[in-house]
Amino acid sequence: MNIALPKGRLGEIVYQILEEAGYPCPVIREENRKLVFENQAVGVRYFWVKPSDVAIYVERAAADVGIAGKDILLECQPEVYELLDLGVGKCRMCVAGKRDFRDHRDRTLRVATKFPKTASSYYSAQSRDIDIIKLHGSIELAPLLGLSDVIVDIVETGKTLLENDLEVKETIVPISARLIANKVSYKFKYEKITRLCCRVDEYCRENREADQ
Ligand code: PRP
């Protein structure tokens, strides 16, 4: 089974879950720059993938399953099955802006974001006229420099907003990591994928209970 993991902090958490759930691959913990790791004994091959690319690898069957943030799934709407909410990588998609910003609905709202589709559908549901400014990072800079009125972005701890004198104006949707599967793989590797999904679900539930 080919598994796409999101490179970075979320990926470390997710790999730990998979390891504990019975899908270890010890070589992944070695310090090197490899991107593919295999453990034939348990039948898994892991790839480290840029988090925003996980859904593409899974949709196009380069990976059978993967773990992607709900933010990416909402934005990219990939043709994949969403099997499980892992309950980790929790954050929320928000509208944020300067503390003193007041919206005037008669003016076009300038929205800076990495998530243009999510922002567009949120505001179109309110029939709000907006101008999307697509950025690739450090979104919080946009309202500070007058590039935009607000941002639509992920808020996790809220520290980045706080330290830049910005605040949440509206919460759009809660976000967390999801286990996704390629539609054809799901059919042909049904037992393997279902077993993995159940084991991960069981491990996540037990851990949540232990935390409470
Ligand atoms: C994300 C997001 C915010 C920040 C929120 O950025 O875009 O900037 O994390 O986290 P916080 O609420 O805990 O402060 P990321 O770290 O992915 O970097 P980026 O600016 O390059 O998008």
Side-chain angles (χ1 to χ4, degrees), residues 9 91 114-115 136-140 151-162:
R9 201 159 48 91
C91 51
K114 275 188 282 193
F115 304 96
H136 298 90
S138 301
I139 314 296
E140 291 83 359
I151 62 174
V152 165
D153 199 16
I154 294 298
V155 177
E156 191 180 350
T157 61
K159 222 171 156 200
T160 312
L161 291 181
L162 192 70

Side-chain angles (χ1 to χ4, degrees), residues 4-12 14 47-51 54 66-68:
L5 293 174
K7 210 173 174 178
R9 201 159 48 91
L10 178 62
E12 309 286 332
V14 166
F47 314 132
W48 285 127
V49 171
K50 196 175 154 85
V54 168
I67 289 88

